[in-house]
Amino acid sequence: MAAENELQVHAEDAGIAGRAARAAIAEVQRIEAKYSRYRPESVVSRINAAAGKDAVAIDEETARLLDFADACWRQSDGAFDPTSGILRRAWRFDVARVPLEAELAPLLGLIGWDRVERDAAAIRLPQAGMELDFGGFGKEYAVDRAATVLAEHGIASAFANLAGDIAILGEQPGAEPWQVGIRHPREKDGLIARLPVASGGMATSGDYERFVVVDGMRHCHILDPRTGHSARGLQSVTVHATSCIVAGSATTIAMLKGAIDGMAWLEALGLPYFCVSEDGTVAHTFR
Amino acid sequence: MAALLKAALALPVLALPARAGAIESGEVGLNILGYKERGLMRVTEPVAWGRVELADGWEVKGSAAVDIVTGASPELVTNVSGKPVQVITGASVDDRRTIWDLKVSKRLGEWTLGVSGARSSEEDYLSRAYGLEVKRDLNDRNTTLTAGFGRAADRVRSHDDPTLDEPRDTREYLVGLTQVISPVTVVQTSLQWGRGEGYYNDPYRHTLTFYPEPSVPAFAVDTRPDHRNTFAWITRYRHHVASHNGTFQAEYRFYRDDWGIHAHTAEIAWSQGVGGVWTLRPALRYYTQSQADFYTPLIPQPQPAILSSDQRLAAFGGLSPSLRAQYQHPGGWRFEGTIGYIENASRFHAGGGGSEFFETLRAYYAIVGVSRTF
């Protein structure tokens, strides 16, 4: 996970804080090793290598994460698809170029969570070339697990941040909330809002993380598996939830649904959210 | 939706309460209004305002203003055989009015309770008011019901008559409904009733009429009913058009009172976002009212017990275009400026039939403001 990560832990003495922090970091590393698609021995790599061939046995943790991914897929009418990472092969955000439909079509044929064969103990990708990717929820899960491990060590005040995916375990000493800045979608290093958060998970999806601009049109890394093209209508969405994995998946689903449907869906979800519409105006704040 | 949260509960992660920090946030600002009515009267009004949201759902709002009114008070002299002549008298209006108001509200779950107080004073006028308001959110905050009560106790005095010190009491009742129709559409409607008792006369206003016969002109002091019951219905509609980065705003107000005035106000506006930091809002307002039963620019013979030549009680209409520009700096500063024009005239009265002697009013105004959120 090559990004800015941060862990702040408050405890009565530095020894307790240090032990808890080390355990939390170890937990994040464990999850990364288990679900990274860059590690050949990871669960994800083994599942992908067996695509079109055998089912791969999975443990309970993996099964539950896949259940969660399934709930996201259903909630998003298929826009959130754990097999859509393969679109990366056509979209290279270091070159200002939009892939041709002829390039996207074969990849779209390899996407389809509904075709994945799965039960509580095993999973099989039915077609060679299909890929499973935990990119949409793995990092969020890791930060939630870090907070959980800290709580198990008796910590009541901590802030865990994995590249913008945040879990907060209680206020800072003195009942001071943590100040979470929301990046300005168009101003580099600028903030569009700052929110005081006492506890909970928080995540942001934006069209500014990886993108290319071609003929004045911005194409971002949030790709719709039904079209192969970028999500449109919102510059950024931030959700505050009881866990980061819920917040993160909700922001991605809202981005994929676009301005009108995405905001309606967030309203129905009932969680506090902040979003910036395509024109740069703040369309909704937490209050 | 619940499915997402339920699936997350099956994961070996702690469900952390999604609590926002109990931190204060707020906004302070300063507006200056300039108003010019054909050289007749110029008003400048610096208003300072602020709003603070405190922990646990408390909110405090307040503003203070000083009106500086310079110019002259118009007086009407009429001639039965011709057009009334509006004369600017030497007894000038040169007054300073200070106003403040404060509102404290507290959110308790789905309920919000508010208490407000206001005071406005000038040399010849004093108003003290308080209000109570209850709001109830329903339907995931997509519906808000409002009920309010307000009471104002005023004293009317006069530079010209040191013995004048008359009370006026007004009670107002309000019920309202705000409904979010979709994430981009909101409708708000409210009904307001007012019941006032006391002194409504304008102590500076006299009506003078010259008749062909007899040669002595008739003279009447402004005398109005000692009560006024009002009713208003206001509806606002806002619809955000994401594809054009703009918001359509429309407002309609119906008003009637037992002085015989029926009025309609309609305003449409378009608020256009430009480049993420600018907002331009052109607006057009139309107003029309019927005349009060006792309005008369001429003193009839025999002279009635109540009469007023105040042309604000006449039948007329008005058109008012305005343009507002707002710049929102990402750092929290906001700058805005508004320019507007008002023309009230007899010919703008809906369906014709405006008061014959209504003196057309043309006025310009400008507002500049700066505010900052923290």
Side-chain angles (χ1 to χ4, degrees):
Chain A
M1 291 177 196
E4 268 180 43
N5 303 323
E6 182 188 8
L7 184 62
Q8 288 189 47
V9 179
H10 289 288
E12 278 163 33
D13 74 73
I16 294 171
R19 273 193 297 281
R22 280 191 294 279
I25 292 165
E27 176 67 1
V28 171
Q29 288 168 337
R30 178 188 73 80
I31 294 164
E32 204 229 337
K34 187 169 176 182
Y35 297 113
S36 169
R37 62 191 166 87
Y38 299 109
R39 295 180 183 237
E41 74 281 12
S42 76
V43 173
V44 169
S45 295
R46 286 193 288 115
I47 294 167
N48 291 344
K53 294 182 266 182
D54 304 325
V56 175
I58 53 172
D59 64 3
E60 191 186 345
E61 182 181 41
T62 306
R64 286 186 176 173
L65 277 169
L66 293 173
D67 284 344
F68 181 79
D70 184 63
C72 294
W73 182 81
R74 289 176 192 283
Q75 284 300 306
S76 65
D77 303 319
F80 186 109
D81 191 316
T83 63
S84 66
I86 199 155
L87 287 168
R88 264 189 310 266
R89 290 192 193 163
W91 284 95
R92 289 184 48 206
F93 293 101
D94 51 352
V95 185
R97 159 171 194 277
V98 175
L100 303 172
E101 296 305 318
E103 294 170 73
L104 291 170
L107 299 177
L108 292 175
L110 290 169
I111 298 172
W113 176 248
D114 51 334
R115 292 190 285 130
V116 172
E117 297 156 21
R118 184 174 76 88
D119 62 27
I123 182 169
R124 178 176 177 270
L125 302 179
Q127 195 178 345
M130 275 185 88
E131 282 185 8
L132 186 64
D133 187 351
F134 279 37
F137 49 93
K139 195 155 56 72
E140 291 85 345
Y141 174 65
V143 78
D144 282 336
R145 280 295 304 157
T148 305
V149 166
L150 291 170
E152 286 164 359
H153 278 74
I155 302 296
S157 167
F159 178 93
N161 173 14
L162 291 183
D165 290 322
I166 291 164
I168 291 176
L169 197 63
E171 284 109 327
Q172 302 185 63
E176 276 285 303
W178 303 87
Q179 297 292 334
V180 178
I182 297 180
R183 181 156 295 150
H184 196 292
R186 293 294 177 266
E187 287 181 15
K188 197 170 157 46
D189 302 325
L191 296 182
I192 196 160
R194 207 174 53 196
L195 303 159
V197 181
S199 77
M202 195 175 259
T204 301
S205 289
D207 66 0
Y208 51 85
E209 290 164 50
R210 288 194 307 283
F211 64 93
V212 288
V213 177
V214 180
D215 297 332
M217 177 83 94
R218 177 182 285 246
H219 303 266
C220 74
H221 75 292
I222 300 167
L223 298 166
D224 190 323
R226 298 163 299 191
T227 64
H229 287 280
S230 301
R232 301 232 168 276
L234 293 168
Q235 286 187 0
S236 115
V237 177
T238 303
V239 171
H240 187 190
T242 50
S243 58
C244 188
I245 194 167
V246 169
S249 51
T251 60
T252 307
I253 292 171
M255 288 291 290
L256 285 163
K257 283 180 178 279
I260 307 268
D261 292 348
M263 283 179 69
W265 184 82
L266 286 168
E267 286 291 338
L269 191 63
L271 296 171
Y273 71 98
F274 180 98
C275 79
V276 182
S277 57
E278 201 163 36
D279 51 54
T281 52
V282 175
H284 192 272
T285 60
F286 279 93
R287 282 170 195 279
Chain B
M1 321 299 147
L4 211 60
L5 304 175
K6 205 173 138 201
L9 285 178
L11 295 168
V13 300
L14 213 57
L16 302 164
R19 273 194 300 123
I23 187 107
E24 294 75 21
S25 70
E27 204 171 358
V28 288
L30 182 74
N31 284 348
I32 294 176
L33 163 78
Y35 174 92
K36 188 167 173 28
E37 185 187 321
R38 270 194 325 171
L40 209 62
M41 192 178 274
R42 218 177 65 216
V43 183
T44 53
E45 184 179 22
V47 184
W49 54 272
R51 179 178 61 81
V52 184
E53 282 175 44
L54 300 163
D56 307 324
W58 285 95
E59 187 183 50
V60 181
K61 279 194 266 194
S63 74
V66 181
D67 272 6
I68 301 151
V69 182
T70 59
S73 181
E75 207 158 301
L76 202 66
V77 174
T78 48
N79 187 324
V80 124
S81 58
K83 202 174 176 300
V85 183
Q86 196 171 35
V87 178
I88 299 160
T89 64
S92 70
V93 179
D94 202 347
D95 205 350
R96 184 177 288 259
R97 180 164 63 134
T98 55
I99 308 164
W100 63 257
D101 66 75
L102 191 70
K103 179 173 177 183
V104 179
S105 57
K106 162 87 171 138
R107 173 175 271 282
L108 296 159
E110 306 297 302
W111 295 87
T112 305
L113 307 176
V115 180
S116 61
R119 186 187 155 98
S120 165
S121 63
E122 50 198 301
E123 230 180 298
D124 52 4
Y125 193 79
L126 172 68
S127 175
R128 285 163 297 188
Y130 72 86
L132 302 170
E133 186 185 76
V134 181
K135 283 188 190 179
R136 169 89 160 104
D137 289 321
L138 298 164
N139 184 18
D140 280 341
R141 295 198 188 174
N142 285 321
T143 306
T144 303
L145 301 176
T146 307
F149 169 74
R151 179 152 187 204
D154 303 350
R155 306 288 312 184
V156 183
R157 300 181 189 122
S158 167
H159 296 297
D160 298 347
D161 177 5
T163 63
L164 181 76
D165 186 9
E166 292 287 341
R168 182 159 80 213
D169 276 285
T170 316
R171 286 159 205 251
E172 288 193 323
Y173 307 86
L174 174 148
V175 289
L177 167 73
T178 304
Q179 178 65 47
V180 177
I181 290 172
S182 77
V184 292
T185 310
V186 181
V187 174
Q188 190 180 16
T189 189
S190 65
L191 301 173
Q192 295 171 20
W193 294 266
R195 183 168 180 84
E197 279 177 7
Y199 190 82
Y200 280 95
N201 305 349
D202 179 346
Y204 299 109
R205 178 170 297 279
H206 315 289
T207 308
L208 203 57
T209 302
F210 297 91
Y211 298 97
E213 289 295 331
S215 56
V216 180
F219 175 84
V221 294
D222 191 82
T223 312
R224 309 184 191 194
D226 61 359
H227 64 273
R228 189 176 198 177
N229 294 331
T230 62
F231 168 74
W233 172 50
I234 300 157
T235 299
R236 292 190 183 92
Y237 172 85
R238 289 169 72 93
H239 178 72
H240 180 67
V241 184
S243 57
H244 289 82
N245 187 18
T247 303
F248 174 72
Q249 302 168 359
E251 180 176 327
Y252 169 74
R253 180 176 190 266
F254 169 76
Y255 169 89
R256 63 172 292 175
D257 62 27
D258 62 356
W259 287 5
I261 295 178
H262 288 53
H264 305 267
T265 311
E267 181 174 272
I268 51 168
W270 175 260
S271 181
Q272 177 67 49
V274 182
V277 289
W278 284 94
T279 310
L280 288 176
R281 182 184 181 273
L284 182 67
R285 181 179 357 204
Y286 173 69
Y287 177 78
T288 182
Q289 75 169 40
S290 65
Q291 72 174 41
D293 300 332
F294 53 88
Y295 166 76
T296 174
L298 301 166
I299 302 170
Q301 283 182 321
Q303 192 171 319
I306 55 168
L307 69 89
S308 176
S309 61
D310 186 343
Q311 71 167 11
R312 286 172 296 187
L313 303 173
F316 68 96
L319 268 179
S320 175
S322 66
L323 178 68
R324 184 169 75 198
Q326 196 177 72
Y327 173 77
Q328 174 73 57
H329 188 268
W333 288 96
R334 189 172 66 214
F335 302 92
E336 64 175 71
T338 307
I339 49 169
Y341 173 70
I342 298 167
E343 182 163 336
N344 290 343
S346 175
R347 71 175 188 284
F348 289 144
H349 181 257
S355 298
E356 189 187 347
F357 294 139
F358 187 91
E359 277 285 315
T360 298
L361 177 146
R362 294 183 180 88
Y364 299 89
Y365 65 92
I367 304 168
V368 290
V370 58
S371 63
R372 173 158 176 83
T373 50
F374 58 85

